[in-house]
Amino acid sequence: MNEDPITMLNSIESEGLSAIETAADSGELEALRLRYLGQKGELTAILRGLGKLDKDVRPAVGQKTNEVKRALTEAVEEREKSLFEASLGERLKAEAIDITAPGTRVRLGHIHPLTRITEEIIEVFYGMGFNVEDGPEVETDYYNFDALNTPPSHPARDEQDTFYTDAGEKVLLRSQTSTVQIRVMERKKPPLRIISPGRVYRNEEVNARKYPLFHQIEGLLVDEGVTFGQLKGTLNAFIQTLFGKPVLTRFRPDFFPFTEPSAELDSQCPFCEGQGCRTCGNRGWLELLGCGMVDPEVLRGVGIDPEVYTGFAFGMGVERLAMLKYGINDIRYFFANDLRFLRQF
Ligand code: DAH
């Protein structure tokens, strides 16, 4: 050592301290620690060289070396702490949440108008003791037609052209929920009081009133001594509850293969009270649904004795009722998934 070791230690100390105190990041600090305090560092070198010094200066140099070592070690720890705090502060700032910022609004979804009116209709009939039954949408022509008194040559089949499967003409998408009448009567014996909501299909061109997919709700009541008067009373009660006010109705003779007699239920137009308006096409009346007394042939087909039991049945189009109730003029709105439409309900 050419220089005086104490002077050298002093300059190592002051240089080291200022370098450590200004180290920009933990990488730089670690490099400084190794340079001054490491196994191959400057202080270690001095300690190793102690033996070569004069005996009388040795203790002072040793003591000074240790002092410098302690001072630098403390400085490193100090700097480490302040670098950590600074980076923590920065992270907290970057990740800070502004609790005064306005929140993100979560839009609540809601029930589709068809689901809504279906639930309303079920509720009304539930109150009159009807239970919900379900049936398959992919059907055989037996349940869709034959068992409903509509054999292959029957002209009523033409009105309900539907979609057929690869399995041939015998397997089809049901064109009416009346199929469920048969399926239920096969399984259960009277007294029966059921309604059955569900999808039906027809091979039809799309327009404002027709869509190849729509929904129906079927009703069936079979018991001893059921009359047409009870059918009228039941449906009148239903219509009044659905529209929420007294509504004049009329039963017009009609034809369905599986009911005899058959009728179409009209209500006085609830929008114009029979005066004639756009909704009712100036007729003052609206066709609501088909109904009738279950044909004895149908009962016989499922093993129910028509001499003992009678019944009534009805079937309504859900879209049609929803269009009337909510004043919707195009069936396509139900299936277009347009939120501007759906949010109105
Ligand atoms: N299934 C018939 C249709 O789709 C509607 C219908 C009419 C159902 C009379 C019935 C009924 O149960 O008795 O046009």
Side-chain angles (χ1 to χ4, degrees):
M1 255 179 237
N2 308 328
E3 259 184 83
D4 165 31
I6 296 292
T7 315
M8 218 170 78
L9 281 165
N10 276 332
S11 72
I12 288 177
E13 181 175 20
S14 62
E15 254 174 48
L17 284 177
S18 83
I20 287 165
E21 275 157 21
T22 56
D25 52 46
S26 60
E28 198 179 316
L29 185 62
E30 177 61 9
L32 290 170
R33 191 185 64 79
L34 289 173
R35 173 167 158 205
Y36 292 107
L37 301 163
Q39 290 293 315
K40 294 175 183 159
E42 294 184 17
L43 289 179
T44 315
I46 291 173
L47 283 172
R48 287 218 179 99
L50 272 184
K52 291 183 198 140
L53 293 176
D54 290 343
K55 257 195 173 136
D56 50 334
V57 295
R58 243 184 252 168
V61 173
Q63 198 191 337
K64 178 68 185 170
T65 310
N66 282 330
E67 272 171 30
V68 173
K69 192 172 174 180
R70 200 177 315 117
L72 292 179
T73 306
E74 270 170 24
V76 167
E77 282 167 7
E78 196 72 14
R79 186 65 189 149
E80 225 163 41
K81 222 168 97 186
S82 70
L83 280 176
F84 174 76
E85 274 162 11
S87 80
L88 185 68
E90 249 162 58
R91 246 185 63 201
L92 287 178
K93 218 197 247 163
E95 294 172 10
I97 295 167
D98 179 1
I99 57 163
T100 65
T104 319
R105 213 191 202 94
V106 180
R107 266 198 190 273
L108 277 187
H110 59 92
I111 285 174
H112 191 279
L114 288 178
T115 310
R116 190 167 136 182
I117 197 163
T118 302
E119 284 173 359
E120 279 177 32
I121 295 170
I122 290 174
E123 195 64 30
V124 177
F125 283 105
Y126 197 68
M128 295 193 272
F130 287 73
N131 279 317
V132 173
E133 290 279 353
D134 209 6
E137 285 171 39
V138 181
E139 263 295 7
T140 61
D141 72 340
Y142 175 76
Y143 288 102
N144 201 74
F145 294 122
D146 299 87
L148 289 163
N149 210 19
T150 319
S153 57
H154 200 293
R157 283 205 181 199
D158 290 348
E159 285 170 23
Q160 299 204 2
D161 188 23
T162 179
F163 301 96
Y164 295 84
T165 64
D166 291 342
E169 284 191 0
K170 301 242 159 264
V171 185
L172 45 78
L173 298 186
R174 69 178 178 188
S175 63
Q176 50 187 347
T177 45
S178 305
T179 53
V180 184
Q181 286 188 27
I182 307 301
R183 289 188 169 273
V184 169
M185 286 192 288
E186 278 181 348
R187 279 198 335 263
K188 299 180 182 175
K189 293 306 149 203
L192 290 170
R193 245 190 277 187
I194 61 125
I195 55 167
S196 186
R199 286 193 198 100
V200 297
Y201 302 84
R202 302 255 172 113
N203 182 9
E204 256 163 352
E205 202 117 0
V206 176
N207 62 34
R209 302 187 54 202
K210 290 189 168 164
Y211 207 79
L213 155 77
F214 60 101
H215 299 75
Q216 283 188 337
I217 297 181
E218 187 77 12
L220 173 74
L221 183 147
V222 185
D223 205 342
E224 291 181 39
V226 178
T227 68
F228 198 91
Q230 290 166 351
L231 167 62
K232 288 176 82 171
T234 303
L235 291 180
N236 279 337
F238 160 64
I239 295 302
Q240 315 237 341
T241 315
L242 186 69
F243 285 110
K245 59 180 181 187
V247 187
L248 210 61
T249 58
R250 69 180 184 193
F251 288 76
R252 225 171 356 94
D254 202 342
F255 173 81
F256 298 102
F258 41 91
T259 42
E260 182 61 35
S262 303
E264 185 84 16
L265 171 63
D266 295 347
S267 77
Q268 198 180 56
C269 177
F271 299 102
C272 61
E273 316 259 322
Q275 295 307 110
C277 67
R278 256 181 42 195
T279 309
C280 61
N282 273 323
R283 283 187 291 269
W285 293 91
L286 295 168
E287 290 176 18
L288 292 188
L289 53 86
C291 59
M293 301 305 289
V294 181
D295 194 303
E297 264 319 295
V298 174
L299 293 176
R300 221 170 272 129
V302 290
I304 294 175
D305 185 354
E307 297 301 326
V308 179
Y309 294 104
T310 44
F312 64 72
F314 52 88
M316 60 190 96
V318 179
E319 281 78 0
R320 190 171 164 64
L321 288 174
M323 286 166 83
L324 291 176
K325 180 160 182 185
Y326 303 131
I328 298 163
N329 59 13
D330 195 317
I331 193 172
R332 286 169 287 200
Y333 286 130
F334 291 117
F335 307 109
N337 262 342
D338 188 335
L339 291 178
R340 290 170 303 179
F341 169 75
L342 295 171
R343 283 198 183 119
Q344 295 176 49
F345 299 93

